[in-house]
Amino acid sequence: MKTMRFALLIPIVIIVMVIGAIIPLVVKISYLYFAGFIVLMYITLATAWNILGGYAGYVNFGTAGFFGLAAYLSAFLLESVGVSLPVALLAGGAISAALGLGIGYSTLKLRGIFFAIATLALAIVIQMIIINTPAVGGAVGFYTLRPPPPPPYTNYLEFLFVVMLGIALASIVTSRAIEKSKIGRGLIALRDDETAAECMGVPVFKLKLLAAGLSGFFMGLAGAPYPYYITYMEPISVFSLDISVNAVAMPLIGGLGTWIGPLIGAAIVAAIQQAVTVTIGSELNLVIIGVLLVAFVVAAPYGIVGLIRERIRRLS
Amino acid sequence: MFPTELLVNSLAAGILLGGFYALIAIGLSISFGLIDVVNIAHPTFIILAGYIVYMLNLITGIDPVILGVSLSPIFYVLGVVVYGAYNRAFEKRGQEALMGLVFFFGILILIEVSLLLRFGVDLRTIYAPYTMESISLGILTMPLRLVYPFIAGLIIVLVLYLFFSKTFIGIATRAVSQDDLAVKLMGAKPAVIKSVAFGLSIATASIAGGLLIAMQPIHPFLDREFIGRVFAIVVLGGMGSILGTIAAGIILGVVESLTASLYGPAWALAVSFGILIAVLVLKPEGLFRR
């Protein structure tokens, strides 16, 4: 049964990818790709956050730091060195993975709170360093110039949408593979009781490091295409608070520790945010997310997936 | 090379700043260090108090420090209410480690954004009569806006030290921090003791907020700059050691002040983060014992 489900997943992913790659060639509504890119970016960030936060229970409050660092490195490589987009993507993923490993190595042996504090302070420190480094634009920022879109695409934004779709799918497949494997079971075991897991022979520290590195890698991948999306890099918006808050709120609202939870949470929260931005104004977005976050953590700590599971259990 | 006058003055400024840092960190030292409630929103409560003091000062013209102190009973009640919700939602379910942390993160965001919507991103400040004054002793010049917070910080921390070592409730709080279950078996209620301690920790945020706005302009996201600092101080000071908090505050103040004089104020912020990581890696139990 389980192998059959997995066998189904791969074709589904391929079909989604192919359809996603064809749609921009047929449907020419720029707003669709403009908003779609952000939704896919948040799906990736939420999924990446969940790999460490949901399975292993280590909370990262500084997603913006991982995201922004990769975005800046990618922008620097694309603009000043002139590398191609795939190289910039890999470099962005690699630097954020290294950041995850570095912070993980220094704090994951201790209680989870220290990792959380380190990430919380980290985002602002990286932002400060960027602001004070004129070589990467300092506080003023710099423009990035989109190259001509690779054929058959006629608009670079459409191409970027397809790239982000690929990244989002890759993160979801990775997350699902982790969940169903020994690694995922080990992470969940150490989240529930670290001492017990260690006694049973789970390589606790190694698994945590692996999760921190993978989580950072996908956060970096989500950030690396951003310079070409926004076309203007400046530290306030690239290290925006929204990113850190959404990355925590989306998996929590969807359902922690499940591969589908971040997907549901990101889709719902991003849709709400788009609607609020259009109807009321973007300032209220963070208030709504803050209220949702506190409400869910108090009343429904296992998110929407948890609520649905409970309903099914009651019915049967 | 480095002029002596600058060195002496930045050293003195660092020590003065350290006294204030001890005050902003003492609340967290109580909540995080003693009763194990990881209130990452502590600096946010300080900024909230700063803004309330700012509004009251606009209306009444009363000195911000006096306003901060008189607001502290209200903040005490606020702390008791927040702890009540935290205790009911997380401690009783045994989920405080992960969900409790996210709960305080949610509070942090809500306060920040409310302040942003109400006051905007502009810097707000209060000019007290002493804001621009300073005392001179030879080559040493000490601005009063640093001297007052230093003195106030020392007084508050010493009062709290006496409270936690001499009074019944204070000793009971330390008992809870050592063995929750044993306290329960002795017939006391840890939740009540912890709610008093948490209330006190939030009350110190009000006093710190009044002093903060007398010292420097504030903006809604200033709490972010203090998060690294307060946790660095609490961990360096030995998690819940009241006197260790003063020592750690002064160490951080001096290092930051010297960094600011040598490399520019922007890098001072990275110092607390560097110290925090270094302490966590090298000596997670801190420099001072409880």
Side-chain angles (χ1 to χ4, degrees), chain A residues 44-304:
Chain A
T44 313
L45 286 173
T47 305
W49 190 93
N50 187 50
I51 292 176
L52 186 64
Y55 298 132
Y58 279 80
V59 192
N60 181 347
F61 288 129
T63 305
F66 290 80
F67 173 90
L69 183 66
Y72 260 93
L73 179 71
S74 151
F76 178 75
L77 290 177
L78 290 169
E79 290 299 303
S80 303
V81 186
V83 302
S84 64
L85 188 64
V87 176
L89 291 184
L90 280 181
I95 191 147
S96 294
L99 187 65
L101 287 176
I103 298 195
Y105 188 78
S106 40
T107 56
L108 286 179
K109 273 185 186 157
L110 307 159
R111 288 172 55 199
I113 167 66
F114 291 114
F115 178 78
I117 303 160
T119 55
L120 198 57
L122 175 85
I124 193 150
V125 170
I126 297 177
Q127 189 186 22
M128 276 290 159
I129 293 173
I130 299 276
I131 289 177
N132 291 292
T133 312
V136 289
V140 187
F142 61 93
Y143 282 100
T144 57
L145 208 62
R146 285 177 183 166
Y153 298 101
T154 49
N155 182 329
Y156 203 81
L157 188 63
E158 294 165 0
F159 169 67
L160 222 48
F161 169 83
V162 177
V163 170
M164 204 35 139
L165 178 66
I167 293 172
L169 287 174
S171 71
I172 293 169
V173 170
T174 310
S175 167
R176 192 179 185 282
I178 289 175
E179 187 177 326
K180 305 290 174 192
S181 73
K182 236 172 132 176
I183 300 171
R185 288 198 297 274
L187 288 173
I188 292 167
L190 76 87
R191 177 191 67 195
D192 293 342
D193 191 332
E194 185 153 345
T195 318
E198 199 155 19
C199 291
M200 300 300 285
V202 176
V204 173
F205 186 57
K206 270 187 201 161
L207 280 185
K208 282 193 277 190
L209 268 187
L210 179 70
L214 269 176
S215 174
F217 178 72
F218 281 110
M219 284 174 185
L221 272 188
Y226 196 65
Y228 277 162
Y229 172 80
I230 198 79
T231 67
Y232 186 72
M233 297 287 289
E234 60 78 37
I236 302 299
S237 66
V238 175
F239 292 94
S240 160
L241 183 63
D242 297 40
I243 296 169
S244 297
V245 179
N246 281 340
V248 180
M250 287 166 172
L252 199 98
I253 290 168
L256 282 184
T258 60
W259 66 274
I260 203 163
L263 184 61
I264 297 173
I268 291 175
V269 172
I272 293 175
Q273 284 181 338
Q274 287 296 330
V276 170
T277 307
V278 174
T279 52
I280 313 174
S282 58
E283 307 86 31
L284 272 179
N285 268 338
L286 272 178
V287 179
I288 293 169
I289 300 310
V291 171
L292 276 178
L293 185 64
V294 173
F296 264 89
V297 82
V298 169
Y302 298 102
I304 294 169

Side-chain angles (χ1 to χ4, degrees), chain B residues 7-177:
Chain B
L7 187 71
V8 169
N9 276 313
S10 91
L11 207 61
I15 294 171
L16 294 178
L17 199 60
F20 177 67
Y21 282 177
L23 174 61
I24 60 165
I26 191 71
L28 190 73
S29 185
I30 297 168
S31 55
F32 177 37
L34 281 180
I35 57 172
D36 208 23
V37 177
V38 191
N39 179 13
I40 52 171
H42 189 75
T44 319
F45 282 107
I46 297 177
I47 307 297
L48 175 68
Y51 272 101
I52 296 175
V53 166
Y54 170 78
M55 279 205 316
L56 292 177
N57 176 272
L58 277 189
I59 301 165
T60 62
I62 301 172
D63 182 86
V65 180
I66 296 171
L67 283 174
V69 174
S70 20
L71 272 176
S72 59
I74 299 171
F75 268 67
Y76 173 85
V77 175
L78 177 67
V80 171
V81 171
V82 170
Y83 177 76
Y86 173 81
N87 175 264
R88 193 167 306 162
F90 307 107
E91 283 189 333
K92 284 188 180 161
R93 286 197 229 145
Q95 287 178 325
E96 64 267 29
L98 179 61
M99 299 297 177
L101 206 54
V102 178
F103 170 73
F104 281 115
F105 183 63
I107 291 182
L108 177 154
I109 299 299
L110 282 178
I111 295 178
E112 277 181 355
V113 178
S114 311
L115 291 176
L116 180 70
L117 291 177
R118 174 70 182 75
F119 296 97
V121 287
D122 303 341
L123 291 169
R124 306 283 168 153
T125 189
I126 295 176
Y127 290 101
Y130 45 83
T131 306
M132 296 296 169
E133 306 262 317
S134 52
I135 334 170
S136 295
L137 295 166
I139 57 165
L140 186 64
T141 313
M142 294 186 293
L144 281 181
R145 62 174 192 90
L146 288 181
V147 174
Y148 286 164
F150 174 77
I151 296 169
L154 287 193
I155 293 172
I156 304 287
V157 174
L158 284 176
V159 166
L160 285 170
Y161 175 72
L162 291 175
F163 174 80
F164 281 107
S165 52
K166 303 283 183 228
T167 67
F168 176 76
I169 272 274
I171 294 168
T173 310
R174 283 166 56 214
V176 168
S177 80

